[in-house]
C-alpha cells in the first residue's frame, strides 16, 4: 500500500526529481486481508448455497435477504459518518422505534382534545414529521457532544433511553397497527414505502422492494458526500486529527453536529420502512439495531477511533451480517448458535483489521526524528 | 574581571574533549584541571553517539557525573544535552559508545532498569498521574504489600511523610497530584527518585515552569541531596540560575562536549561564549529585503494561561510584520511564543488586544475567516496539530484550501490534483504518489507538507511555529530558502524558532520574548548570538555583565 521512502537520501539531495521510486506490490497475504470482508461474503454465499442449495441462492430468497440487509445498511451508513469523526451513536435503534411510532400515531389520527377533533394528516406530512423527529434526536446528540462536551458514548446512550421512552409514551406502550390508511381520509399509500416494488412484479416476475432502492440511494448519496464534497473531506480530517483540522479552518463542531443529524435522519427513514413493511409500528422496534450497525461498519474496515472507513466497506459489512444471519436461519442453526457465530465474525474482522494496520505501518518505519515521540531536543 | 581571565584559561586548557580516544573510567577521574580532592565518578559516558535517521545528535561524547556534585549542562537547543541525558537514564538507546556505572559497564533497556540501578530522570513534563494521590504516585509499580496481599497504605504514607519532611515539602501523602502546584509536583517526582535511592538524579529544565520561591525551594533540596552524596545533573536554559547552583559546568555544541570547568573558574560570559562558539557566518545571512506596507499588526495582545488562572502567557505584545519581511520570534521555552502565534491565528482566545491584517480587523474572526483573509498558521507539533495521519499526502496538502477547488458544492478532482502538484513543486517534496499516507514521508518532507498546506491557502502573512523542529539540516535549509523566496515575492512571514543560528541567519528582524513579553528587538544584520541569548534570559543585569566580559 504505502511505498518505502529512503528519507535520508531523499532529504539530503534537494534537486532530485520526485516520484522515481516504484510502488511496492502487495503480496497475496496482504491482498487477502485487504479484501477480507468481500471474501467473507463470497465464502458465506458459497457455504450456504452448498448447505441449502434450493433455498439460499434463489432470486426470491436473495431479495428477501437484501431487504433485511437494507434495514441495517441504511442505519450503518449513518453510523459510518459518526464513526468516521471518532464518535458513536447508540440511539439509532430507539430512533427507528420512535419515528415508526410517530408515523403510526399520525396515520391513526391525531386527536386534538381542545377542539375534540381527530386530525388525519396527509401522507407526506406524516413522513416529514416522522423524519423530522428522528433528525431531532440526532441533533440533540450532536449538541450534547459538541456544545456540552458529553462523550458520544454517554450522550447517545442517554438519548437511546430518552427516545425509546418517548416512543413508549406516545404509543402508551402499544403497537399501532393497520397503517394502510383509508381513501376517505386521504392518507393512503404508507405501505408503499416498504413494500412498493420496482420494477413491478408483472414485468420480470420479481419486483425489487422500495427498501432496497432506498439503500441504493442512501449508499450513492453517502458515497458522493464522502468522496466528492468538502463536508466529506472535513469529516475524514476531523476523525483523523481534530486539532489539525481545526487549525486548517475546518468547522469541527459543525461537522460533528451534522453527522449525528444525518445519522438520526437515516434511522428515521428506516423506522418508516419497517413500519410500512409490517403495517404496524411498535415502540420496541429497532432494539439492538445500533449493535448491528456498528458491526457492519467495523466489519467494513472502519476504525472506531475515526478517520478511516468507506461506504463500500460498510455496505459489504451489512451484507456479511445479513447474509450470514439469514443463512444460519435457513439451514436451521439454533438462535443461540447464531449469536455466537455472529460475534466471532465481528471479532475476526477487527483482529484482521489490526493485522492489516500493522502491515501498513511497517514500511514507514525508517528512523526519523520527527516521527518519534521524543525529538533529539525539545 | 579576574573570573573572566581565569575562565578563558580554563577553556583553553579543556576544549575540545576528544571523542576519538575513549578514556577508561580510572583515567576519567583525573581530567585536566582535577585536584587531589576530586570526588568519585558515579556514572560516566564514553564515546556516546546517537543518530536520528540522518541527524547526528551526539558525535561521540565522554561525560562524567560525580558524586555529591551538581553538574550543569549548557548548550543551545539541539546541542545534544537532553539526548545524552535520555541515553544515560534509559529513555533512549545510544547508537554507539558505553555507559559505566560505578566502574561497571551497564546497559539500560528502560527507565525502570536505570532507576533500579540508581539513575533517575525528571523530565520537563512531569510524569505523574494527576488523578492519583501523592502516595500512590510515589509507590506506583512498587507498592508495599501487607501480609494478606493488599497494599500497606499506612507504611507507604509514613515513608512518604518522611520523604516530604526531608524535602521540606508541606505535602500530604493523600493529597491528589492534580491539586498540587507545579513546584510541589516536582518535589513529588524527586521524592519518587529518592525512594528508589537514586545515586544520580537528572533534572531536565526543572525550573522552566516554577515561580521564584519554588526555585529557591528546589535549590535547597538540590543542595541537601548533594550533601547526602547524590550526584545531580541539571539542565536549564536560564543560564544565571544554572550557574548559581552548579559545581561543574559542561558546555555542549552541535552534539559534542566542547568545554567543561569547575564553577569557581567560570562566569556567565564564558558560558555564553562557549555555547555560541562561532560567530555567525556573515556571508550566509539573509540579505536585507525590500519591505513594503505593514500587513499584520498585533496590538497589545494578552492571552491568559489556560491552565493557571490569573496568569498571562502572552502579556501585552505588540508587533508588526510588513510585506516582504521575515520576522523571527526567539525565546526560551515557556516564553509565550507558541501562544502568541496561536492567538494571532485564532486558535487561542485573547482577553484583550487587536489583530489586524492589511488594515482589516480580525480580532474576533474564526480560524476559517482568518485563513480566507490570508492569515494561516503552520503549527509547532506537526504530528499533533499539523497533519492528519489517516489522510494521504495530497489531502493533507490541500486540507486548508478545499474551497479553492470546490464548485457548486462538489470537489473538482482535477483541480485538486493540479494544486497538489503545484504544492509539491513549490516546496520540493520527495514522495512517490500523492495518494500515499502522510506517514510514509520523512520528517523533513512531512514538515514541507505542512508549509505547503499553508502556502496553498495563498496567505498574505505566513505564520510558522518551529518550522524546522526535528528535521535534518538539508531539509532545514530548503525550508528557509523557500521562506526567503516567499518573502521576496511579497509575503510577510512570522516564525518562531529555538535556534539562535536560524534566527540570525534567516530573518530580517528578531523579536526576543521572555515570560510573555517582548524584551528586545534586533535588526538581524547587526545582532550577535551572545546578544540574542542574553536578551532571552530575563535579567538585564546579566546583559551588562556579558557585554563587559566580551570587551575583555
Amino acid at each position: 500500500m504505502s511505498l518505502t521512502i529512503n528519507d535520508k537520501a531523499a532529504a539530503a539531495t534537494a534537486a532530485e526529481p520526485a516520484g522515481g521510486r516504484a510502488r511496492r506490490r502487495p503480496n497475496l497475504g496482504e491482498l487477502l486481508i485487504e479484501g477480507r470482508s468481500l471474501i467473507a461474503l463470497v465464502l458465506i454465499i458459497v457455504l450456504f448455497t452448498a448447505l441449502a442449495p434450493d433455498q439460499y441462492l434463489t432470486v426470491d430468497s436473495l431479495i428477501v435477504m437484501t431487504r433485511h440487509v437494507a434495514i441495517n445498511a441504511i442505519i450503518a451508513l449513518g453510523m459510518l459518518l459518526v464513526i468516521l469523526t471518532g464518535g458513536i451513536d447508540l440511539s439509532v435503534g430507539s430512533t427507528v422505534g420512535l419515528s415508526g411510532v410517530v408515523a403510526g400515531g399520525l396515520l391513526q389520527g391525531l386527536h386534538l382534545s381542545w377542539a375534540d377533533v381527530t386530525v388525519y394528516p396527509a401522507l407526506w406530512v406524516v413522513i416529514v414529521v416522522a423524519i423530522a423527529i428522528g433528525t431531532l434526536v440526532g441533533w440533540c446528540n450532536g449538541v450534547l457532544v459538541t456544545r456540552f462536551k458529553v462523550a458520544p458514548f454517554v450522550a447517545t446512550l442517554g438519548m437511546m433511553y430518552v427516545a425509546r421512552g418517548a416512543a413508549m409514551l406516545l404509543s402508551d406502550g402499544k403497537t399501532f397497527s393497520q397503517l394502510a390508511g383509508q381513501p376517505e381520509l386521504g392518507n393512503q399509500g404508507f405501505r408503499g414505502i416498504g413494500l412498493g416494488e420496482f420494477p413491478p412484479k408483472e414485468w420480470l416476475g420479481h419486483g425489487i422492494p422500495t427498501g432496497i432502492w432506498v439503500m441504493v440511494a442512501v449508499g450513492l448519496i453517502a458515497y458522493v458526500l464522502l468522496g466528492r464534497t468538502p463536508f466529506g473531506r472535513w469529516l475524514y480530517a476531523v476523525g483523523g486529527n481534530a486539532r489539525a483540522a481545526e487549525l486548517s479552518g475546518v468547522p469541527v463542531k459543525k461537522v460533528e453536529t451534522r453527522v449525528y443529524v444525518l445519522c438520526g435522519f437515516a434511522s428515521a427513514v428506516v423506522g418508516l420502512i419497517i413500519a410500512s413493511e409490517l403495517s404496524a409500528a411498535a415502540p420496541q422496534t429497532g432494539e439492538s439495531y445500533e449493535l448491528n450497525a456498528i458491526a457492519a461498519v467495523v466489519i467494513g474496515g472502519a476504525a472506531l477511533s475515526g478517520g478511516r472507513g468507506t461506504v463500500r466497506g460498510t455496505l459489504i459489512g451489512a451484507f456479511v451480517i445479513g447474509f450470514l444471519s439469514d443463512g444460519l436461519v435457513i439451514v436451521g442453526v439454533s438462535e443461540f448458535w447464531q449469536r455466537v457465530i455472529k460475534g466471532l465474525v465481528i471479532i475476526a474482522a477487527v483482529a484482521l483489521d489490526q493485522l492489516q494496520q500493522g502491515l501498513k505501518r511497517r514500511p514507514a518505519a525508517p528512523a526519523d526524528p520527527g516521527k518519534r515521540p521524543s525529538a533529539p531536543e525539545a | 574581571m579576574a573570573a573572566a581571565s581565569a575562565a578563558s584559561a580554563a577553556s583553553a586548557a579543556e576544549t575540545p574533549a576528544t571523542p576519538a580516544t575513549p578514556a577508561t573510567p580510572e583515567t576519567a577521574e583525573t581530567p585536566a584541571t582535577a585536584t587531589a580532592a576530586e570526588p568519585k565518578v558515579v556514572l560516566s559516558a564514553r564515546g556516546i553517539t546517537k543518530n536520528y535517521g540522518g541527524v547526528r545528535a551526539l558525535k561521540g561524547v565522554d561525560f562524567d557525573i560525580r558524586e555529591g556534585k551538581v553538574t550543569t549542562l549548557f548548550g543551545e537547543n539541539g546541542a545534544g544535552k537532553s539526548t545524552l541525558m535520555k541515553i544515560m537514564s534509559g529513555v533512549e538507546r545510544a547508537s554507539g559508545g558505553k555507559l559505566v556505572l560505578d566502574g561497571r559497564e551497564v546497559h539500560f533497556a528502560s527507565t525502570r532498569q536505570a532507576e533500579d540501578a540508581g539513575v533517575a530522570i525528571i523530565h520537563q513534563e512531569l510524569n505523574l498521574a494527576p488523578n492519583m494521590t501523592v502516595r500512590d504516585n510515589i509507590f506506583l509499580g512498587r507498592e508495599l504489600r501487607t501480609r494478606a496481599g493488599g497494599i500497606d497504605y499506612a507504611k507507604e504514607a509514613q515513608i512518604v511523610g518522611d520523604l516530604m519532611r526531608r524535602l521540606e515539602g508541606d505535602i500530604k501523602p493523600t493529597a491528589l497530584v492534580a491539586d498540587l502546584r507545579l513546584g510541589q509536583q516536582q518535589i513529588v517526582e524527586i521524592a519518587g527518585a529518592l525512594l528508589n535511592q537514586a545515586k544520580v538524579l537528572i533534572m531536565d529544565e526543572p525550573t522552566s515552569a516554577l515561580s521564584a520561591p519554588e526555585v529557591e525551594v528546589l535549590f535547597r533540596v538540590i543542595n541537601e541531596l548533594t550533601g547526602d552524596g547524590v550526584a545531580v545533573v541539571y539542565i536549564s536554559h536560564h543560564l544565571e540560575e544554572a550557574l548559581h547552583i552548579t559545581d561543574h559546568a559542561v558546555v555542549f555544541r552541535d552534539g559534542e562536549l566542547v568545554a567543561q570547568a569547575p564553577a569557581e573558574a567560570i562566569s556567565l560570559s564564558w558560558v555564553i561564549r562557549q555555547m555560541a562558539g562561532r560567530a555567525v557566518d556573515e556571508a550566509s545571512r539573509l540579505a536585507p529585503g525590500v519591505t513594503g506596507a505593514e500587513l499584520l499588526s498585533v496590538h497589545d495582545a494578552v492571552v491568559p494561561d489556560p491552565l493557571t488562572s490569573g496568569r498571562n502567557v502572552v502579556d501585552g505584545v505588540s508587533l508588526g510584520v510588513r510585506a516582504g519581511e521575515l520576522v523571527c520570534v526567539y525565546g526560551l521555552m515557556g516564553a509565550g511564543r507558541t501562544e502568541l502565534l496561536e492567538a494571532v491565528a485564532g486558535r487561542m482566545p485573547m482577553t484583550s488586544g487587536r489583530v489586524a491584517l492589511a488594515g482589516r480587523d480580525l480580532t474576533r474572526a474564526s480560524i476559517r475567516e482568518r485563513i480566507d483573509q490570508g492569515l494561516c498558521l503552520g503549527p509547532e507539533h506537526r504530528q499533533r496539530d499539523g497533519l492528519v495521519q489517516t489522510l494521504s499526502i495530497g489531502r493533507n496538502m490541500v486540507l486548508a484550501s478545499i474551497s479553492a477547488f470546490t464548485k457548486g458544492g462538489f470537489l473538482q478532482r482535477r483541480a485538486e490534483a493540479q494544486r497538489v502538484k503545484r504544492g509539491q513543486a513549490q516546496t520540493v517534496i520527495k514522495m512517490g504518489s500523492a495518494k500515499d499516507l502522510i506517514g510514509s514521508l520523512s520528517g523533513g518532507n512531512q514538515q514541507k507538507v505542512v508549509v505547503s498546506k499553508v502556502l496553498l491557502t495563498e496567505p498574505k502573512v505566513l505564520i510558522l511555529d518551529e518550522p524546522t523542529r526535528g528535521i535534518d539540516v538539508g531539509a532545514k535549509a530548503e525550508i528557509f530558502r523557500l521562506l526567503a523566496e516567499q518573502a521576496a515575492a511579497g509575503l510577510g512571514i512570522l516564525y518562531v524558532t529555538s535556534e539562535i543560528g536560524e534566527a540570525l541567519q534567516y530573518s530580517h528582524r528578531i523579536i526576543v520574548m521572555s515570560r510573555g513579553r517582548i524584551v528586545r528587538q534586533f535588526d538581524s544584520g547587526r545582532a550577535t548570538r551572545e546578544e540574542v541569548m542574553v536578551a532571552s534570559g530575563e535579567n538585564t543585569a546579566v546583559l551588562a555583565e556579558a557585554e563587559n566580559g566580551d570587551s575583555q
Side-chain angles (χ1 to χ4, degrees):
Chain A
M1 277 95 279
S2 61
L3 80 175
T4 51
I5 294 246
N6 184 343
D7 51 332
K8 288 168 240 172
T13 55
E16 178 207 331
R21 282 162 291 272
R23 206 165 243 279
R24 198 169 57 91
R25 204 191 252 166
N27 61 32
L28 183 67
E30 281 172 347
L31 276 179
L32 287 177
I33 292 176
E34 180 82 21
R36 64 191 174 281
S37 44
L38 196 56
I39 293 169
L41 182 59
V42 172
L43 283 179
I44 286 168
I45 293 173
V46 169
L47 177 74
F48 287 114
T49 308
L51 290 173
D54 307 333
Q55 295 156 45
Y56 194 76
L57 203 63
T58 66
V59 176
D60 281 327
S61 145
L62 280 179
I63 287 174
V64 170
M65 290 196 296
T66 308
R67 220 178 71 199
H68 295 160
V69 168
I71 300 290
N72 186 21
I74 295 166
I75 304 175
L77 288 169
M79 185 71 77
L80 171 69
L81 302 185
V82 174
I83 286 178
L84 277 176
T85 65
I88 192 117
D89 189 349
L90 299 178
S91 68
V92 289
S94 298
T95 307
V96 168
L98 179 62
S99 65
V101 163
V102 167
L106 288 176
L107 286 167
Q108 299 267 315
L110 191 63
H111 186 74
L112 304 175
S113 50
W114 51 272
D116 199 25
V117 288
T118 303
V119 180
Y120 295 90
L123 182 62
W124 70 267
V125 175
V126 172
I127 293 172
V128 167
V129 171
I131 287 182
I133 294 284
T135 311
L136 181 71
V137 174
W139 182 79
C140 290
N141 285 328
V143 168
L144 285 171
V145 170
T146 55
R147 195 74 50 81
F148 294 94
K149 313 266 181 224
V150 183
F153 191 96
V154 178
T156 59
L157 181 71
M159 285 309 291
M160 174 178 110
Y161 286 113
V162 171
R164 184 67 70 195
M168 303 273 186
L169 285 169
L170 284 176
S171 65
D172 203 14
K174 294 195 273 286
T175 299
F176 294 113
S177 55
Q178 264 128 46
L179 303 180
Q182 293 162 42
E184 60 267 31
L185 296 174
N187 59 358
Q188 279 177 296
F190 185 67
R191 301 217 66 192
I193 297 173
L195 294 182
E197 291 182 337
F198 185 88
K201 203 169 248 169
E202 301 78 58
W203 292 11
L204 298 170
H206 298 281
I208 295 178
T210 332
I212 294 177
W213 291 114
V214 173
M215 170 180 75
V216 171
V218 172
L220 281 175
I221 292 169
Y223 183 78
V224 171
L225 189 73
L226 286 180
R228 300 290 160 117
T229 68
F231 178 74
R233 194 61 66 78
W234 292 341
L235 218 148
Y236 281 103
V238 168
N241 186 346
R243 292 176 64 104
E246 191 201 356
L247 266 183
S248 300
V250 173
V252 174
K253 285 190 176 173
K254 209 188 273 177
V255 170
E256 283 186 333
T257 311
R258 262 187 224 169
V259 291
Y260 288 98
V261 168
L262 289 171
C263 190
F265 174 88
S267 313
V269 169
V270 169
L272 288 178
I273 293 173
I274 294 177
S276 163
E277 278 179 0
L278 302 174
S279 189
Q284 299 86 4
T285 306
E287 266 173 9
S288 85
Y289 278 23
E290 58 279 347
L291 301 180
N292 277 332
I294 294 168
V297 175
V298 166
I299 290 175
L304 283 180
S305 51
R308 190 160 54 83
T310 61
V311 169
R312 193 184 50 193
T314 299
L315 286 175
I316 293 175
F319 271 97
V320 166
I321 292 187
F323 278 28
L324 176 70
S325 310
D326 285 355
L328 291 170
V329 172
I330 288 171
V331 299
V333 172
S334 87
E335 156 94 24
F336 305 150
W337 274 111
Q338 283 178 35
R339 287 176 188 235
V340 172
I341 292 166
K342 206 157 104 185
L344 291 176
V345 168
I346 294 169
I347 293 169
V350 178
L352 282 173
D353 188 58
Q354 287 302 319
L355 191 65
Q356 183 191 14
Q357 292 310 308
L359 287 176
K360 270 193 183 174
R361 255 175 249 124
R362 231 176 8 190
D368 168 11
K371 260 187 298 203
R372 279 159 195 271
S374 51
E377 290 246 344
Chain B
M1 292 302 104
S5 52
S8 49
S11 69
E14 298 195 7
T15 43
T18 48
T21 54
T24 61
E26 288 75 30
T27 59
E29 283 181 35
T30 52
T33 58
T35 59
E38 195 70 50
K40 174 175 151 246
V41 172
V42 193
L43 179 64
S44 56
R46 288 290 166 263
I48 294 286
T49 59
K50 177 72 183 176
N51 302 325
Y52 291 100
V55 184
R56 291 185 67 199
L58 289 174
K59 302 168 183 168
V61 171
D62 293 353
F63 176 68
D64 296 323
I65 301 173
R66 291 184 179 81
E67 191 175 56
K69 291 286 169 197
V70 179
T71 308
T72 317
L73 270 56
F74 295 98
E76 282 185 48
N77 284 301
K81 337 177 274 293
S82 291
T83 308
L84 181 62
M85 290 308 106
K86 280 177 186 160
I87 289 169
M88 295 188 92
S89 58
V91 177
E92 292 192 11
R93 253 54 65 204
S95 308
K98 62 177 181 178
L99 297 178
V100 179
L101 180 69
D102 288 331
R104 271 204 315 272
E105 191 173 338
V106 285
H107 298 278
F108 298 141
S110 66
T111 46
R112 192 60 201 264
Q113 272 188 24
E115 277 170 28
D116 291 343
V119 183
I121 187 166
I122 295 173
H123 294 280
Q124 290 160 271
E125 300 91 15
L126 297 178
N127 220 345
L128 298 169
N131 57 330
M132 291 167 62
T133 64
V134 170
R135 175 197 62 204
D136 293 349
N137 264 290
I138 289 177
F139 280 94
L140 193 61
R142 38 179 161 266
E143 290 81 2
L144 300 181
R145 298 306 179 111
T146 60
R147 209 164 298 154
I151 297 176
D152 193 344
Y153 286 118
K155 183 97 183 286
E156 284 188 3
Q158 190 202 331
I159 293 173
V160 170
D162 290 345
L163 283 171
M164 286 303 163
R165 262 189 294 287
R166 190 175 152 200
L167 295 175
E168 295 180 49
D170 182 22
I171 305 169
K172 282 206 188 74
T174 50
L176 270 188
V177 166
D179 295 338
L180 300 181
R181 288 193 314 274
L182 216 52
Q184 293 178 309
Q185 295 188 12
Q186 203 128 38
I187 300 286
V188 173
E189 283 249 11
I190 295 173
L194 289 185
L195 175 77
N196 228 23
Q197 303 193 322
K199 287 180 272 188
V200 179
L201 185 59
I202 300 168
M203 297 185 188
D204 193 352
E205 294 275 357
T207 58
S208 58
L210 297 192
S211 64
E214 285 174 332
V215 170
E216 251 172 63
V217 172
L218 180 72
F219 280 6
R220 265 209 306 280
V221 168
I222 290 179
N223 279 330
E224 211 171 301
L225 292 177
T226 51
D228 292 348
V230 176
V232 174
V233 181
Y234 187 92
I235 302 180
S236 176
H237 279 115
H238 293 279
L239 306 181
E240 214 190 7
E241 226 173 65
L243 265 183
H244 179 72
I245 189 78
T246 192
D247 293 314
H248 189 83
V250 176
V251 183
F252 280 77
R253 198 196 311 139
D254 298 332
E256 286 175 279
L257 192 159
V258 291
Q260 51 182 327
E264 311 83 68
I266 60 170
S267 69
L268 190 64
S269 57
W270 177 83
V271 172
I272 291 176
R273 259 201 318 279
Q274 295 300 336
M275 279 170 69
R278 65 224 176 267
V280 184
D281 177 9
E282 291 299 330
S284 71
R285 286 208 202 215
L286 194 65
V290 187
T291 51
E294 184 166 276
L295 286 177
L296 174 70
S297 69
V298 179
H299 189 76
D300 230 357
V302 176
V303 179
D305 189 336
L307 302 175
T308 321
S309 66
R311 188 173 163 257
N312 291 327
V313 276
V314 175
D315 203 3
V317 167
S318 301
L319 60 86
V321 178
R322 302 197 294 173
E325 201 180 17
L326 246 171
V327 180
C328 167
V329 179
Y330 178 82
L332 301 181
M333 226 174 302
R337 307 164 304 174
T338 296
E339 291 81 358
L340 172 68
L341 294 201
E342 293 202 338
V344 171
R347 169 67 157 285
M348 281 191 103
M350 301 196 317
T351 41
S352 70
R354 286 197 312 276
V355 175
L357 185 75
R360 192 191 289 256
D361 186 74
L362 292 178
T363 311
R364 288 186 209 303
S366 69
I367 297 176
R368 173 83 262 158
E369 285 159 352
R370 287 177 210 230
I371 291 175
D372 290 343
Q373 292 299 324
L375 187 62
C376 191
L377 168 71
E380 177 179 9
H381 300 273
R382 59 176 170 272
Q383 304 298 321
R384 199 186 69 191
D385 297 333
L387 299 168
V388 180
Q389 296 302 320
T390 49
L391 289 184
S392 68
I393 300 165
R395 292 190 172 180
N396 267 293
M397 234 189 254
V398 298
L399 184 59
S401 53
I402 291 176
S403 54
F405 56 92
T406 306
K407 243 191 218 156
F410 292 99
L411 302 175
Q412 305 299 307
R413 290 283 178 92
R414 197 168 301 163
E416 179 182 2
Q418 279 165 3
R419 280 184 92 71
V420 170
K421 212 172 262 174
R422 207 174 81 208
Q424 185 199 352
Q426 191 174 33
T427 48
V428 204
I429 297 166
K430 301 282 173 310
M431 61 185 196
S433 157
K435 291 195 174 88
D436 290 331
L437 281 183
I438 188 75
S440 66
L441 292 184
S442 69
N445 280 308
Q446 287 189 19
Q447 187 62 38
K448 287 185 195 167
V449 172
V450 173
V451 174
S452 173
K453 177 175 83 172
V454 177
L455 281 177
L456 284 174
T457 65
E458 281 150 30
K460 295 191 182 83
V461 172
L462 194 61
I463 318 176
L464 293 170
D465 198 351
E466 298 272 10
T468 58
R469 185 185 160 113
I471 65 177
D472 63 67
V473 183
K476 263 183 204 185
E478 281 181 61
I479 283 180
F480 276 115
R481 203 189 55 215
L482 177 71
L483 294 187
E485 268 170 35
Q486 293 297 323
L491 252 71
I493 297 176
L494 178 67
Y495 76 95
V496 156
T497 185
S498 301
E499 292 187 28
I500 297 178
E502 271 179 25
L504 290 168
Q505 200 173 340
Y506 302 106
S507 70
H508 296 122
R509 191 147 57 88
I510 301 174
I511 294 173
V512 181
M513 279 185 78
S514 173
R515 308 250 154 161
R517 293 168 186 273
I518 292 180
V519 287
R520 253 189 104 166
Q521 299 210 27
F522 294 95
D523 205 349
S524 322
R526 280 194 285 277
T528 65
R529 268 169 193 273
E530 287 81 356
E531 280 173 341
V532 175
M533 210 179 282
V534 168
S536 63
E538 58 251 52
N539 200 330
T540 42
V542 180
L543 181 68
E545 196 203 325
E547 276 166 359
N548 289 340
D550 282 344
S551 63
Q552 289 272 310

